[in-house]
Amino acid sequence: MTTATAGPGVRPAERDAMERALALAGTDRLVLGPNPRVGCVLLDGDGVTLAEGFHRGAGTPHAETVALTNARAALGPDALRGATAVVTLEPCAHTGRTGPCAQALVDAGVRRVVFAQRDPNPAAAGGADVLGAAGIDVVHAQPVMDADLMARVHDLNRVWAAATTLGRPYVTWKVALTLDGRSAAPDGTSRWITTAAARRDVHLLRTRVDTVLVGTGTLADDDPALTARDVPGPQPLRAVMGLRDVPATARVAAPGPDGAPGVHLRTRDPRAALEDLWQRERRHVLLEGGATLAAAFWRAGLVDEVVAYVAPVLLGAGTPAVADLGITTITGAARLDVTDVALIHPDPHDDGPDETNVRLTLRPRKEH
C-alpha cells in the first residue's frame, strides 16, 4: 500500500496556499449537509496560484473539482500538467454524488498534492494511496506544517469529523440558566432568563448547526419556533421528539423561513432520534429541550458539548436546568472541561435588564 509521507516538506508558497484554502473552506452561510468544509488552491511550478475552489455542500462539486474546472476555463485544458494541489482535506477516493477527487487530480496531470487533514470517513478515505500509486508526490502536511495552521484546519471540521467517527450526529446541549442553576421560576415562568443579546447569540448558534431538537414537553410548555431569527445564515432543521402528537397549530408545524415545516421523531429514545437524524444526513444537533430531555441524552452518553448561557440572577427555587442524572455522591459528579468563555454584554438599544451574561462552552471529560 502506498501511503502519504512528509516528503521533502512544505514549501513557503504551499503554506500560503494552505492558509488561503482554509479561508475558502470557511466561507460562511453554506448549507453543507453531511459533508465537510474543504478548500483547494492550485499552484504552478513557481508557486503562483492557477485557480482555487471550495465545496458548497452535498451534491455540488468538491473543492478540487471546482479548482480544476476554474483552471481549465481560464488557462486551457493542459494548464495543470505538473501543477501542485493544496487541499485542506485528503482528496476523496469514492464515487458518491460526485466522482472521486483523487482520480480527477491524477487525470488532470497534477504532479504534487499537499493535504492537511486525513479523511476520517472510511467510505471516502484512501485518496492519498490512489495519488501515490499514480506516481504523484503526496505530502501529509500535518507533521511538517506549523501547528497553529493545522489546528485551525482541524477545528474547521471538528464537529463533522467527530460525527463521522461516532457514526451519529454530534450533540451540543444548549442551556440558559440562573447563577443557581435554575431554568425557570417556581411558577413556571422562564422568559426571559438571559438578555436579548444572549438570545441573539443563540440564534447565531442555530445557523451553525443543522438541527435544533426539543421534546414534546418543551413544545407543549413554550411552543418554540426553533428558527434562527435576526441573524444571517442558513436555517436548521426543526425537530421534535416524543410520543405525543405535535399540534397542527404549533409554530414548529408551520413552514419556517426556509419553507420547510419541522419534523416529528416519534420516539423517546435519544439513540433512535439521532439515528433518524443521521439517516436524514444531519451531523450536528443543537439540543434545546428541557431538563428531562437533557438528562436523557446525558445519561445515554450522547452529549458531546455544552453551551451554557449563565445570567447573573438568583431564584433560590424553581426548575433545575437538568433533571436527575443518577449521580448520588460528589465522587460521581460529571466533570466537564471549559473550552471557551465569552462575556455577552447588553445592547443599550434592547429592552430588559442591563446585565452581562456569560457563555460557557464545555466538553464532558472522556472518562464520563
Side-chain angles (χ1 to χ4, degrees):
M1 177 182 291
T2 304
T3 57
T5 66
V10 176
R11 299 155 189 166
E14 293 168 348
R15 195 271 178 208
D16 292 342
M18 188 66 77
E19 185 87 47
R20 174 59 182 163
L22 175 60
L24 291 167
T27 299
D28 207 0
R29 305 182 192 180
L30 297 178
V31 181
L32 294 173
N35 291 8
R37 294 178 177 271
V38 184
C40 175
V41 174
L42 299 173
L43 305 175
D44 68 11
D46 296 321
V48 176
T49 298
L50 296 171
E52 55 188 32
F54 62 93
H55 181 51
R56 294 179 178 271
T60 67
H62 290 188
E64 299 93 325
T65 302
V66 174
L68 292 172
T69 300
N70 290 342
R72 291 187 179 109
L75 303 169
D78 297 323
L80 295 163
R81 296 292 169 188
T84 294
V86 178
V87 196
T88 55
L89 184 70
E90 178 185 10
C92 69
H94 82 305
T95 299
R97 293 171 179 167
T98 59
C101 293
Q103 190 59 51
L105 293 169
V106 172
D107 294 342
V110 168
R111 177 182 57 81
R112 178 176 165 91
V113 174
V114 179
F115 72 91
Q117 181 181 13
R118 290 194 181 276
D119 195 327
N121 183 359
D129 294 331
V130 172
L131 294 166
I136 292 174
D137 182 19
V138 184
V139 180
H140 181 204
Q142 182 170 350
V144 292
M145 195 174 282
D146 53 287
D148 174 70
L149 179 56
M150 290 300 95
R152 285 187 284 134
V153 169
H154 283 262
D155 189 61
L156 182 72
N157 285 315
R158 176 182 62 83
V159 168
W160 170 82
T164 300
T165 301
L166 292 167
R168 61 162 175 81
Y170 185 92
V171 176
T172 297
W173 170 33
K174 188 247 35 175
V175 59
L177 66 162
T178 63
L179 196 60
D180 53 346
R182 306 292 175 174
S183 62
D187 64 357
T189 54
S190 61
R191 295 186 178 182
W192 296 100
I193 287 175
T194 55
T195 61
R199 296 195 297 275
R200 275 194 297 274
D201 196 75
V202 172
H203 285 282
L204 186 61
L205 179 60
R206 287 178 180 176
T207 69
R208 294 172 177 167
V209 304
D210 56 30
T211 306
V212 176
L213 176 64
V214 299
T216 51
T218 294
L219 185 74
D221 292 342
D222 299 334
D223 189 23
L226 303 182
T227 55
R229 299 184 293 278
D230 302 322
V231 293
Q235 291 290 328
L237 175 71
R238 299 173 297 149
V240 179
M241 64 175 287
L243 301 181
R244 285 185 281 179
D245 289 339
V246 173
T249 56
R251 292 200 289 172
V252 75
D258 58 354
V263 300
H264 184 193
L265 313 177
R266 284 190 177 274
T267 180
R268 290 177 178 164
D269 181 356
R271 291 191 182 277
L274 292 182
E275 175 60 27
D276 188 318
L277 292 170
W278 180 265
Q279 295 303 320
R280 296 173 189 264
E281 298 191 328
R282 302 292 155 163
R283 298 297 182 262
H284 192 181
V285 171
L286 185 64
L287 185 65
E288 290 203 37
T292 301
L293 190 63
F297 271 77
W298 186 276
R299 294 185 72 159
L302 296 174
V303 174
D304 303 299
E305 183 176 64
V306 180
V307 178
Y309 293 85
V310 183
V313 175
L314 293 171
L315 285 174
T319 305
V322 64
D324 182 16
L325 297 178
I327 298 169
T328 58
T329 178
I330 192 63
T331 57
R335 305 284 180 179
L336 300 92
D337 294 315
V338 177
T339 61
D340 186 63
V341 179
L343 297 180
I344 302 177
H345 299 290
D347 187 324
H349 302 291
D350 289 336
D351 295 330
D354 179 19
E355 60 192 32
T356 296
N357 290 175
V358 179
R359 183 189 67 221
L360 293 169
T361 305
L362 314 98
R363 293 179 199 154
R365 291 187 181 173
K366 291 183 180 180
E367 64 264 26
H368 169 66

